[in-house]
């Protein structure tokens, strides 16, 4: 029996070799018809023997192209039409485009073989790609995904490339960024005060790196600053020129064997490193290995490791075991992606720049994650994951824009219940970052065909994202409390709808009482929350100044606990006295229940960090010295005579001072402090469970990036039979905030409270 079936396939089905696969299966089963990219995904018709049509769909759904994600497939049986062959036809471009755009994909093994094969016409070609790999999101100007709507438009394919592009049996069939040495982008090496351009550019670049120079290298989502990671001297020079004394630098290793040689890496971590997203994965250094420059991460024993993800990287790394590859930007500014901005890097920081003439449409940083208890934890979500959607609500919700927080900003667009979280944008207080933020929002709205009816924002009146929301011409505005958004991001990820006990620990977030929160326990659903407990509030002497200078928090905590410890006065008596007075008078010293600041205070009391050079440095140092074998803890009190309850660590601080005086090792004190906080969380959750009959705990907020704290807390809660959830798809720092805001806005729309 002959039949004709039309199918509409929705999901990530463009830019991933979907049509060639359809073609291959159709011809394999002797079917006629067509396939094309449409506004909703892929549309196809197959006609032929109905057993074969069945086999065709079986193959397509069970063995789709490697990078494809089919979210829905709707089929319709129709009368036969008498097609003569199977064709791949041009994209239709009308109506609403709701097709998912693919993230950038790391070079596949087939392409890698070609660039290393002396006999292949792509040998040494830095821009080799195919339908399974290559740039996607970062080169797309509009949808549907076709070469003319990407930054490859200006490169006209040569005859052999054109042939591949049109040959359904070729791996490069409809590979939009297809290119070769003859027709593709070209590299150029720029040295200060002159430029050269020939085939030897790559060789010259390697020579410079070997000689210890710093080279700015154009990548997929922006520039990297590269130097030899095995050279202490080069690394130190890069640090001093970038004015970044301590913050860890990412290291690109030649291959997985090179990683294994220098770092501790388990199976789950290897899978992440080798995944097509090629994120930076935080690993521990091998204790016996000293080749990797110590200066890469002076504060910790970890290394942010990643593997080559473009042909250019593979070719460069042939000659090096590991290169430092840190974002090409100035502190707090967005990553540089355009040659016009190159003078910021070339000269002041880099000795040379390896550029090329394919433009970057969307800046996109490398993603950073680590594996904790076998689960992925994002510290930064960008290249390789963006713009993959996350489900937040039932389809049918109106279009929503959530603008996120202030630091580590990301924004989020919602359509049909799918949330599209943007790449890491950065710190909006920087003007360039703010304009990157507003340009990307416009660009994403166009790409996703989203016209927001609702805008969700933080309650902090001073955040630039809040001000952006205030002036946006969007009819419905939804203010979302910072920590509620953190908890809602966990609920959205794990599809939790019933109320949970939310524990949000972070640095700062604006509270509903106009003070700064950050050690929060709430009973929350997706629409509302009740603050049931919080860390005891202390003064923040000097406001933001106290965030940068943890010693001020030490003064504040000691003063308000009446612990005027003479031994602690290592700072000039004048400065100490001044801050003490500020604290007592409350002058320019807002109240804060921040957990992050309590960690700062303890780190400063132990003499680990008085002034920070990057965010959370004090807490990172405190964690890195903790002795994991120590299991006891200090006393603490949960005051329950008033609501909300207060977690009071006054006794903890007192005990720390005593032990310090007795000469107990700082590593033991740090561990006991971590255990105390974890225990206090478990304790408080048990109180809440007793009163509210809730058994699910959601953990979020940047303080839980502290691995020791997270492990101890999760272990403690699980041993008391709580079900514990935390963020795995988005960062648990403020980079995940927009997802939570979007989820809350979607729920409030559903309940008609907007
Ligand atoms: Zn490939
Ligand atoms: Zn070509
Ligand atoms: Fe936060």
């Amino acid at each position: 029996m002959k039949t004709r079936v039309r199918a509409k396939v929705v999901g990530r089905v463009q830019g991933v070799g979907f049509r060639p696969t359809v073609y291959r299966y159709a011809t394999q089963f002797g079917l006629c018809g067509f396939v094309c990219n449409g506004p909703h995904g892929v549309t196809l018709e197959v006609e032929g023997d109905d057993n074969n049509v069945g086999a065709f769909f079986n193959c397509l759904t069970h063995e789709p192209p490697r990078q494809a994600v089919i979210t829905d497939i709707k089929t319709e049986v129709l009368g036969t039409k008498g097609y003569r062959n199977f064709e791949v036809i041009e994209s239709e471009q009308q109506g609403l485009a709701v097709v998912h755009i693919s993230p950038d994909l790391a070079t596949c093994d087939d392409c890698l073989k070609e660039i290393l094969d002396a006999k292949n016409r792509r040998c040494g070609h830095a821009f080799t790609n195919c339908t399974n790999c290559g740039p996607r999101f970062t080169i797309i100007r509009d949808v549907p995904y076709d070469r003319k709507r990407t930054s490859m438009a200006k490169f006209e394919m040569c005859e052999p490339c054109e042939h591949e592009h049109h040959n359904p049996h070729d791996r490069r069939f409809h590979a939009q960024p297809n290119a070769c040495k003859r027709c593709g982008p070209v590299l150029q090496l720029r040295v200060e005060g002159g430029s050269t351009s020939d085939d030897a550019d790559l060789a010259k670049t390697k020579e410079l790196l070997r000689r210890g120079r710093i080279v700015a290298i154009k990548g997929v989502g922006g520039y990297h600053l590269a130097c030899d990671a095995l050279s202490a001297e080069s690394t130190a020079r890069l640090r001093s020129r970038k004015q970044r004394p301590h913050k860890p630098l990412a290291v690109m290793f030649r291959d997985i064997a090179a990683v294994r040689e220098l770092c501790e890496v388990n199976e789950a971590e290897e899978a992440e490193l080798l995944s097509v997203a090629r994120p930076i994965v935080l690993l521990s250094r091998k204790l016996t290995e000293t080749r990797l420059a110590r200066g890469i991460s002076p504060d910790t024993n970890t290394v942010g490791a990643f593997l080559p993800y473009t042909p250019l990287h593979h070719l460069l790394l042939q000659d090096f075991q590991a290169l430092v590859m840190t974002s090409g930007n100035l502190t707090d500014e967005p990553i540089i992606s355009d040659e016009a901005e190159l003078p910021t890097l070339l000269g002041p920081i880099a000795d040379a720049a390896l550029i090329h003439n394919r433009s970057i449409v969307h800046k996109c940083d490398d993603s950073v994650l680590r594996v904790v208890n076998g689960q992925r934890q994002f510290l930064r979500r960008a290249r390789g994951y963006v713009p993959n959607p996350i489900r937040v609500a039932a389809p049918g919700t109106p279009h929503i824009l959530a603008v996120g927080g202030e630091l580590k900003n990301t924004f989020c667009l919602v359509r049909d219940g799918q949330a599209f979280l943007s790449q890491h944008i950065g710190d909006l207080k920087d003007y360039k970052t703010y304009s990157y933020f507003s340009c990307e929002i416009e660009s994403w709205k166009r790409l996703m065909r989203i016209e927001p009816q609702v805008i969700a924002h933080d309650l902090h009146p001073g955040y630039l994202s809040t001000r952006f929301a205030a002036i946006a011409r969007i009819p419905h505005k939804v203010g979302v409390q910072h920590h509620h958004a953190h908890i809602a991001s966990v609920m959205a990820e794990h599809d939790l709808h019933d109320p949970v006990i939310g524990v949000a620990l972070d640095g700062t977030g604006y509270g509903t009482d106009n003070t700064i929160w950050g050690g929060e326990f709430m009973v929350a659903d997706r629409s509302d929350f009740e603050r049931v407990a919080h860390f005891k509030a202390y003064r923040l002497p000097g406001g933001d100044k106290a965030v940068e200078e943890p010693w001020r928090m030490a003064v504040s905590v000691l003063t308000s606990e009446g612990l005027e410890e003479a031994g602690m006065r290592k700072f000039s008596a004048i400065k100490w006295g001044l801050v003490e007075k500020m604290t007592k008078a409350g002058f320019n010293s807002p109240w804060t229940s921040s957990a992050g600041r309590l960690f700062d205070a303890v780190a400063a009391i132990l003499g680990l960090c008085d002034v920070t050079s990057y965010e959370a440095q004090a807490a990172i140092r405190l964690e890195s010295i903790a002795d994991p074998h120590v299991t006891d803890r200090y006393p603490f009190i949960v005051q329950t005579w008033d609501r909300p309850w207060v977690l009071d660590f006054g006794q903890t601080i007192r005990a720390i001072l005593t032990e310090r005086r007795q000469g107990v090792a700082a590593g033991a004190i740090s561990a006991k402090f971590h255990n105390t906080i974890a225990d206090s969380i478990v304790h408080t959750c048990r109180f809440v469970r007793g009163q509210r009959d809730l058994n699910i705990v959601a953990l979020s907020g940047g303080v839980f990036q502290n691995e020791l704290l997270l492990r101890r807390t999760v272990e403690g809660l699980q041993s008391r039979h709580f079900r514990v959830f935390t963020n795995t798809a988005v960062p648990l720092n403020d980079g995940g905030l927009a997802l939570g805001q979007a989820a809350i806005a979607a729920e409030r729309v559903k309940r008609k409270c907007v």
Side-chain angles (χ1 to χ4, degrees):
M1 255 273 283
K2 269 202 152 198
T3 185
R4 174 168 68 112
V5 175
R6 173 184 295 166
K8 282 189 187 302
V9 193
V10 180
R12 197 212 291 168
V13 291
Q14 291 188 11
V16 290
F18 203 82
R19 288 174 301 171
T21 304
V22 168
Y23 180 91
R24 227 182 35 248
Y25 288 145
T27 45
Q28 187 183 326
F29 292 109
L31 304 174
C32 297
F34 71 88
V35 59
C36 67
N37 275 346
H40 297 275
V42 163
T43 304
L44 65 93
E45 283 190 19
V46 281
E47 184 175 278
D49 179 80
D50 54 4
N51 284 329
N52 287 348
V53 168
F56 165 86
F57 280 109
N58 196 24
C59 280
L60 192 64
T61 45
H62 289 101
E63 276 177 69
R66 228 181 312 155
Q67 305 308 337
V69 180
I70 299 175
T71 54
D72 190 31
I73 178 160
K74 278 198 178 66
T75 55
E76 194 183 350
V77 181
L78 303 162
T80 54
K81 212 168 174 179
Y83 285 117
R84 303 246 171 125
N85 54 7
F86 195 89
E87 274 185 297
V88 177
I89 57 180
E90 275 298 298
S91 306
E92 2 169 334
Q93 210 222 4
Q94 77 251 48
L96 286 176
V98 294
V99 66
H100 294 168
I101 295 164
S102 166
D104 301 291
L105 307 168
T107 309
C108 73
D109 292 344
D110 294 324
C111 285
L112 181 57
K113 254 182 236 141
E114 291 179 357
I115 60 166
L116 300 178
D117 174 5
K119 285 192 262 0
N120 193 284
R121 71 185 189 96
R122 286 196 172 80
C123 178
H125 181 53
F127 302 91
T128 302
N129 65 85
C130 73
T131 47
N132 297 319
C133 76
R136 297 290 187 272
F137 167 67
T138 52
I139 61 165
I140 294 179
R141 295 188 205 279
D142 204 354
V143 288
Y145 173 59
D146 267 326
R147 191 178 181 99
K148 58 177 180 284
R149 284 179 280 268
T150 72
S151 61
M152 283 301 289
K154 67 174 179 184
F155 301 98
E156 204 177 320
M157 274 183 271
C158 67
E159 221 174 282
C161 285
E162 189 80 47
H163 184 76
E164 292 165 339
H165 192 80
H166 289 297
N167 176 7
H169 300 286
D170 196 284
R171 200 171 89 246
R172 297 202 166 85
F173 179 58
H174 281 261
Q176 306 303 344
N178 188 24
C180 74
K181 283 187 208 169
R182 253 167 79 188
C183 65
V186 286
L187 290 171
Q188 189 188 55
L189 182 68
R190 282 195 194 165
V191 258
E192 264 202 276
S195 85
T196 53
S197 178
D198 54 46
D199 273 357
D201 283 349
L202 209 56
K204 279 183 199 152
T205 306
K206 289 184 190 179
E207 182 53 34
L208 287 170
L209 289 168
R210 245 189 316 268
R211 294 210 317 254
R213 298 295 146 82
I214 297 163
V215 184
I217 297 172
K218 191 175 183 180
V220 170
Y223 273 87
H224 282 120
L225 286 163
C227 74
D228 186 352
L230 269 45
S231 158
E233 211 189 307
S234 308
T235 310
R237 192 176 314 129
L238 175 55
R239 281 209 180 277
S240 85
R241 290 196 195 161
K242 216 186 166 199
Q243 293 171 20
R244 176 166 156 161
H246 308 114
K247 196 176 174 186
L249 301 168
V251 179
M252 187 179 275
F253 289 82
R254 184 196 300 144
D255 50 25
I256 195 73
V259 177
R260 287 187 198 127
E261 230 181 283
L262 300 176
C263 306
E264 302 287 351
V265 54
N266 64 31
E267 217 174 296
E269 289 159 343
E270 286 203 12
E272 295 289 359
L273 282 167
L274 289 164
S275 78
V276 71
R278 288 289 198 282
I280 295 171
V281 181
L282 298 192
L283 304 174
S284 298
R285 282 166 186 266
K286 263 200 181 147
L287 290 175
T288 50
E289 261 305 333
T290 51
R291 276 179 287 168
L292 213 52
R294 187 60 244 174
I296 282 163
S297 52
D299 288 341
T300 64
N301 190 37
T302 58
V303 181
F306 59 151
L307 293 173
Y309 55 86
T310 70
L312 178 60
H313 296 152
H314 283 287
L315 295 166
L316 273 172
L317 267 295
Q318 273 184 312
D319 294 29
F320 299 90
Q321 180 161 23
L323 290 176
V324 167
M325 290 281 254
T326 184
S327 297
N329 63 346
L330 299 184
T331 315
D332 296 335
E333 287 188 5
I335 190 168
I336 282 164
S337 60
D338 195 302
E339 287 61 61
E341 308 163 288
L342 201 52
T344 339
L345 300 181
L346 183 56
I349 305 176
D351 302 299
L354 185 62
I355 68 169
H356 61 70
N357 57 343
R358 183 181 74 204
S359 37
I360 295 171
V361 177
H362 301 276
K363 288 176 193 286
C364 202
D365 286 88
D366 292 314
S367 296
V368 185
L369 58 82
R370 69 170 157 214
V371 180
V372 185
N373 290 333
Q375 280 194 324
R376 180 190 288 170
Q377 184 190 82
F378 275 106
L379 306 181
R380 183 164 77 197
R381 183 180 175 275
R383 180 190 50 75
Y385 303 95
V386 167
N388 283 343
I390 301 157
R391 180 156 287 285
V392 286
T397 42
H399 293 183
I400 297 168
L401 166 63
V403 289
E406 175 100 326
L407 300 172
K408 298 189 171 64
N409 177 277
T410 61
F411 60 85
C412 183
L413 284 163
V414 179
R415 182 195 60 206
D416 300 326
Q418 306 258 36
F420 297 89
L421 187 69
S422 79
Q423 71 270 44
H424 165 83
I425 302 284
D427 179 357
L428 294 188
K429 268 185 272 185
D430 174 75
Y431 172 74
K432 283 185 188 159
T433 313
Y434 183 76
S435 61
Y436 170 36
F437 164 81
S438 46
C439 290
E440 279 297 293
I441 288 180
E442 279 316 305
S443 168
W444 277 57
K445 276 162 59 182
R446 205 176 52 243
L447 273 179
M448 309 286 176
R449 303 290 195 266
I450 292 177
E451 228 6 278
Q453 298 300 302
V454 179
I455 185 164
H457 59 84
D458 196 271
L459 294 180
H460 198 306
Y463 280 5
L464 286 171
S465 54
T466 308
R467 291 192 209 163
F468 177 93
I471 56 169
R473 270 177 296 198
I474 295 177
H476 304 290
K477 315 213 183 215
V478 181
V480 178
Q481 200 279 322
H482 189 98
H483 303 95
H484 186 208
H486 274 308
I487 298 308
S489 73
V490 179
M491 298 181 75
E493 267 192 36
H494 299 281
D495 203 28
L496 304 173
H497 291 272
D498 294 330
V500 299
I501 303 171
V503 184
L505 304 189
D506 68 357
T508 40
Y510 200 74
T512 50
D513 60 359
N514 303 345
T515 71
I516 300 166
W517 293 4
E520 307 307 311
F521 293 74
M522 58 179 69
V523 168
D525 63 17
R526 296 246 199 138
S527 163
D528 242 314
F529 76 98
E530 180 194 341
R531 190 190 198 200
V532 291
H534 59 82
F535 279 27
K536 179 171 164 181
Y538 290 109
R539 293 284 187 181
L540 192 61
D544 280 348
K545 197 100 184 130
V547 179
E548 288 156 26
E549 300 184 2
W551 73 272
R552 286 170 179 263
M553 268 327 283
V555 177
S556 168
V557 169
L558 292 175
T559 306
S560 56
E561 295 299 342
L563 299 164
E564 303 193 15
E565 172 71 15
M568 288 303 306
R569 289 178 185 260
K570 56 187 158 174
F571 314 100
S572 80
I574 298 171
K575 259 172 105 181
W576 183 280
L578 209 66
V579 170
E580 197 175 340
K581 263 190 209 136
M582 279 174 88
T583 305
K584 282 182 174 156
F587 172 73
N588 189 20
S589 304
W591 288 107
T592 181
S593 57
S594 163
R597 297 293 84 81
L598 186 65
F599 276 79
D600 282 357
V602 171
I605 287 171
L606 294 182
L608 297 171
C609 186
D610 297 330
V611 177
T612 62
S613 72
Y614 64 92
E615 204 203 341
Q617 186 178 14
I620 287 169
R621 286 190 175 171
L622 184 63
E623 181 190 359
S624 76
I625 64 154
D627 178 350
H629 305 295
V630 174
T631 51
D632 29 323
R633 64 162 178 86
Y634 297 116
F636 63 86
I637 297 173
V638 181
Q639 301 178 357
T640 53
W641 53 81
D642 242 343
R643 273 168 203 274
W645 302 333
V646 175
L647 284 77
D648 184 338
F649 298 100
Q651 292 190 24
T652 312
I653 302 294
R654 193 179 301 267
I656 288 174
L657 286 183
T658 310
E659 288 202 344
R660 197 174 138 77
R661 220 175 294 128
Q662 291 164 349
V664 175
I669 296 179
S670 167
K672 282 174 82 172
F673 173 69
H674 280 81
N675 298 342
T676 308
I677 301 296
D679 225 37
S680 73
I681 295 169
V682 178
H683 208 76
T684 308
C685 287
R686 291 178 65 203
F687 271 147
V688 180
R689 174 163 65 185
Q691 297 217 330
R692 305 294 181 95
D693 199 26
L694 298 172
N695 201 44
I696 294 180
V697 179
L699 304 175
S700 191
V703 167
F704 283 114
Q705 282 175 194
N706 183 319
E707 193 176 333
L708 179 63
L709 178 69
L710 182 63
R711 274 181 204 277
R712 292 277 200 260
T713 306
V714 172
E715 281 162 14
L717 287 168
Q718 285 175 343
S719 75
R720 298 292 179 170
H721 311 293
F722 282 100
R723 287 182 65 205
V724 187
F725 294 90
T726 184
N727 298 101
T728 54
V730 301
L732 43 68
N733 60 42
D734 285 4
L737 219 51
L739 179 72
Q741 293 174 345
I744 290 168
E747 182 69 18
R748 291 203 190 148
V749 167
K750 198 173 113 196
R751 297 192 189 178
K752 307 223 164 22
C753 23
V754 172

